[in-house]
Amino acid sequence: LARPLDRADGTISPQPSSHDIDDSTESPPPHYVVEVTGREFRWQFQVVFPAEFVGGSRPNSVLRLPASASVDWKLSSDDYVYMFSVPNLGIRQVAVPGLTETWQTGPLAPATYDLLVDPICGFRFWHDELMGRVIIEAQPPTRPSEAK
């Protein structure tokens, strides 16, 4: 809160009080925008925000994010209809070619989530069961979308 300061000319200007100054070094939690694309029976992740990762993040089937991050997800498909499902996170979205589904998640607990083929997939016997992986790390990754 600002404390008004009376000036000699009768006007009031805001002046911060020493009690109003926040000395904490805590920064806001990181925020990411992640594009998820179903392509050739795999999930491809690409971080498109924050700016330091744009252009430096290449599509990868493993996504690493810090536990404190909030994420805007953008889901699409290049070829078939896919089900993007992470039950432990409450995520179950359909990826359809030509459409983009969006949603947001808040801070997530550290864990590894294997993205398995949906049981109703008609092609599941002809491709790998593991379509991708999301790793939520206690420590921030150097590059969110790149596997170690």
Side-chain angles (χ1 to χ4, degrees):
L1 297 173
R3 232 179 27 196
L5 178 65
D6 292 310
R7 292 184 169 177
D9 63 358
T11 61
I12 299 175
S13 65
Q15 177 72 27
S17 124
S18 60
H19 297 91
D20 298 332
I21 297 173
D22 184 7
D23 291 335
S24 69
T25 57
E26 198 173 306
S27 60
H31 179 80
Y32 294 91
V33 176
V34 177
E35 291 180 348
V36 183
T37 306
R39 180 182 303 126
E40 297 177 1
F41 306 108
R42 307 279 302 164
W43 290 115
Q44 296 292 307
F45 301 100
Q46 185 160 14
V47 176
V48 295
F49 182 84
E52 63 263 24
F53 296 112
V54 174
S57 167
R58 59 188 156 94
N60 197 314
S61 62
V62 176
L63 175 66
R64 294 177 180 273
L65 293 169
S68 60
S70 63
V71 181
D72 285 342
W73 302 87
K74 295 183 177 190
L75 179 69
S76 63
S77 169
D78 283 349
D79 48 16
Y80 301 104
V81 175
Y82 296 97
M83 181 64 68
F84 184 78
S85 181
V86 188
N88 292 350
L89 298 180
I91 298 171
R92 186 164 173 86
Q93 298 285 338
V94 178
V96 178
L99 298 177
T100 301
E101 291 290 329
T102 60
W103 72 95
Q104 185 176 39
T105 55
L108 306 170
T112 297
Y113 302 99
D114 289 336
L115 305 176
L116 304 177
V117 64
D118 193 86
I120 64 169
C121 176
F123 296 102
R124 72 182 177 279
F125 301 111
W126 292 280
H127 65 84
D128 293 338
E129 185 159 319
L130 183 64
M131 295 179 62
R133 181 172 286 140
V134 175
I135 301 171
I136 309 300
E137 300 178 323
Q139 297 296 318
T142 305
R143 289 229 173 256
S145 67
E146 296 186 16
K148 289 181 181 176

